[in-house]
Amino acid sequence: MKPNKLELSSVDGTQLNLEALYQIAPSCFTEVKDDKTGELRHVVNFKTLRQLLGDNAVEDADEMYQFTWPGKQEARREVARPTTKTLRPVVEDSVDWEHTQNLYIEGDNLEVLKLLQKSYMGKVKMIYIDPPYNTGNDFVYDDDFAVSQHEHDLAIGDVDELGLRYRKNTDTNGKFHSDWCSMIYSRLMVARSLLTDDGVIFISIDDNEVENLKKICSEIMGEHNFISQIIWKKRSTPPNDKVIGAAHEYILCYSKNSLLVRLNLRERTEEQLQRYQNPDNHPKGPWTSGDLGANVKGGRYVASLYFPIINPNTGESHYPPQNGNWRFNQQTIERLLENNEIYFGVDGKGRPKLKRFLSDVKNGITYTSLWDFLPFNTQGSKEMINLLGNISIFDNPKPVDLIKELVKLGSQSKNVILDFFSGSSTTAHAVMQLNSEDGGNRKYIMVQLPEETPDDSAARKAGYNTIPEIAKERIRRAGKKIKEESPLTTQNLDTGFRVFRLADSNFEEVKKAPAEYNQSQLDLFLNNVKSDRTDLDLLFGAMLSWGVQLSLPMTSEEVDGKMIYSVNDGDLVACFADDITENIVKAMADKQPLRVLFRDSCFARDDVKINVFETLKQLLDWSEEEAIKNIKVI
């Protein structure tokens, strides 16, 4: 064999760029057939790429091999369209606001996902969602923006007080599948950006949309990042309303990058552990017998591995079975015999087998794609009844053990778990339960639209007006129950959550030129903060804009009668009061902040603002460039 020629040319920069782009936006690649070779290759669909980059003027992409539907182009445009909304803190609904690192967010999940991008891009290790299955009677977000959507929604009542869109997607809708595909497509596009490079997403689905969902996921995540289509046995007996009753659902699993993802092993059951015994008191501990023969199918036979193993008890020679060969060479076999790691049966006269020691094998077993070892969906309903009574809003909520098993598979002990179709918040319950069992410190982010409960429902009669009200109470009671059941090991368990609610911008719109306003309207240029917004509203809105995580601890301090806020011991220090004094500026500088924030209306004149800027720059020893970057006003 001749040595290959040394590659003298430099790295192909174009190919590097294409590979990097494929990692960022696999959905803008498609397959084309090479006219000369006939081979399929991946190329960039530049129209799709332009749409992803926010170019709304681009025409619809040419037809080629791809999965498409009416509304896909607009769904893609919506992904690139920024939102002006914000998240307002709701301290009174929260639990352990000061210390918790968990988040519960009420609002349209597409808008919320966009808002989370700056703070949580690349920070979420695992996403689990249980979206609407599109059965013809379930809820779907309405994302058809094609013509006068706002007026249309207002006219037919498919919009709430915040302008959020929602409706039932009945099978009489002419765009039944298209609307569902647009809804899930845009949300998965944004959600992908939040995953860590080694992150994974699990999506529950049934037969109604599993084919479309898999095509969408393969486009967004990349077909090569598909991991498995798990089958979960959800019921013991099939339903009688169909020719063949479905006793299962699917859980699609994709990774952000299949080269980096490392999923965990499944814990061995007590029954599996019992297979490992130590009848001969071997110093390596419990073992079970395994095959010493190798699989020689497909030309794997190796002549040097065909030799006799001599039973030291009887002197009998044993050759590999079926004219095959052993798994190890003769030198290794001799070492195994010397160390008493080959088993010849209870009476010492049988064929040789390998002693497989529990101490040598992996710390668990590989998961299979068939999950028939977990509770059925009826268990999820029982769990809700045990916590909240007969709140019959949720059709067969997922059992805690199912989601807990997914969290075990896809996350480590300190990861962030996101569920943006959180429903009754089984995922939050599962995260707390698993943390209590293994001592982990996983954090969750739950997102749920504030869908109202039916007027005549048991939930409404029990005082729950919206789905989030049920979910928040479920988390409160589940956390309390977990701590009561294991008081000695859950003292530091985080069962709290910070509540945020999607809302319009904290600021009044200022679109006209100053000359077009009367005096009261002109005041908006000096102070356009809405009158109902608090310091906390402004602080958390700024954190979203600056990319600071919402779960970070926060403290406040009063100086000269004005409140100073510090996020994560100086990551962001803010003061929104009028008449900023020298003492306030020094107190803020003493916290050695990374970022400093004021309201523009804090300063009566520009010269006061300049003085504060210069003082902070000197006290913090910042350069002009650092000060401009890190000192902001709103």
Side-chain angles (χ1 to χ4, degrees), residues 453-582:
T453 57
D455 290 335
D456 58 348
S457 65
R460 181 63 68 92
K461 292 174 183 177
Y464 301 107
N465 296 322
T466 65
I467 298 299
E469 288 180 13
I470 300 174
K472 287 180 289 187
E473 185 61 21
R474 188 237 178 110
I475 301 174
R476 294 185 191 105
R477 296 191 186 189
K480 181 179 179 182
K481 185 171 183 288
I482 290 170
K483 285 196 168 185
E484 288 175 348
E485 291 175 346
S486 305
L488 297 180
T489 58
T490 59
Q491 295 176 356
N492 298 319
L493 180 66
D494 184 359
T495 57
F497 54 94
R498 285 182 176 177
V499 178
F500 293 87
R501 192 167 290 146
L502 184 69
D504 289 331
S505 170
N506 289 322
F507 307 98
E508 301 285 1
E509 290 189 20
V510 182
K511 291 184 177 179
K512 299 178 183 179
E516 300 178 74
Y517 285 85
N518 58 37
Q519 185 57 50
S520 62
Q521 293 170 326
L522 195 60
D523 290 341
L524 289 177
F525 285 94
L526 300 176
N527 180 17
N528 66 332
V529 176
K530 292 179 178 176
S531 59
D532 65 335
R533 302 305 160 98
T534 66
D535 283 1
L536 285 184
D537 290 328
L538 300 179
L539 179 63
F540 282 98
M543 289 167 67
L544 286 170
S545 299
W546 226 325
V548 180
Q549 294 186 19
L550 302 179
S551 58
L552 293 175
M554 182 189 68
T555 59
S556 59
E557 174 189 2
E558 189 172 323
V559 176
D560 287 351
K562 316 292 184 180
M563 198 62 70
I564 299 173
Y565 302 94
S566 177
V567 178
N568 200 34
D569 198 23
D571 278 8
L572 170 61
V573 174
C575 182
F576 303 111
D578 295 333
D579 302 322
I580 300 296
T581 66
E582 185 177 346

Side-chain angles (χ1 to χ4, degrees), residues 3 31 152 178 335 363 407 439:
E31 285 183 355
H152 172 72
S178 296
R335 179 178 56 79
N363 189 27
V407 177

Side-chain angles (χ1 to χ4, degrees), residues 122-129 188 191-203 217 221 225-228 230 251-264 371 403 405-412 415-420:
K123 301 290 197 307
V124 175
K125 179 62 168 65
M126 174 186 151
I127 295 173
Y128 169 75
I129 56 173
L188 291 178
R192 181 186 180 275
S193 68
L194 303 182
L195 283 173
T196 59
D197 289 340
D198 62 345
V200 291
I201 182 169
F202 298 99
I203 309 174
C217 287
M221 305 298 297
N225 289 321
F226 171 72
I227 294 177
S228 181
I230 297 169
I251 303 173
L252 292 185
C253 178
Y254 280 79
S255 64
K256 178 81 169 284
N257 186 333
S258 59
L259 299 178
L260 299 177
V261 68
R262 293 291 181 270
L263 296 179
N264 299 314
W371 286 27
I403 311 304
E405 202 69 30
L406 290 171
V407 177
K408 284 182 182 179
L409 170 60
S411 75
Q412 305 298 329
N415 292 150
V416 176
I417 316 297
L418 168 65
D419 183 347
F420 53 89

Side-chain angles (χ1 to χ4, degrees), residues 9 19 37 42 53 117 158 184 219 228 239 251 261 291 296 307 341 368 424 467 488 503 508 531 583:
S9 62
E19 290 173 358
T37 65
H42 285 92
L53 295 176
Q117 277 186 299
D158 284 348
I184 201 70
E219 176 177 325
S228 181
I251 303 173
V261 68
D291 197 357
V296 297
F307 55 86
E341 295 184 24
T368 68
S424 66
I467 298 299
L488 297 180
E508 301 285 1
S531 59
N583 287 336

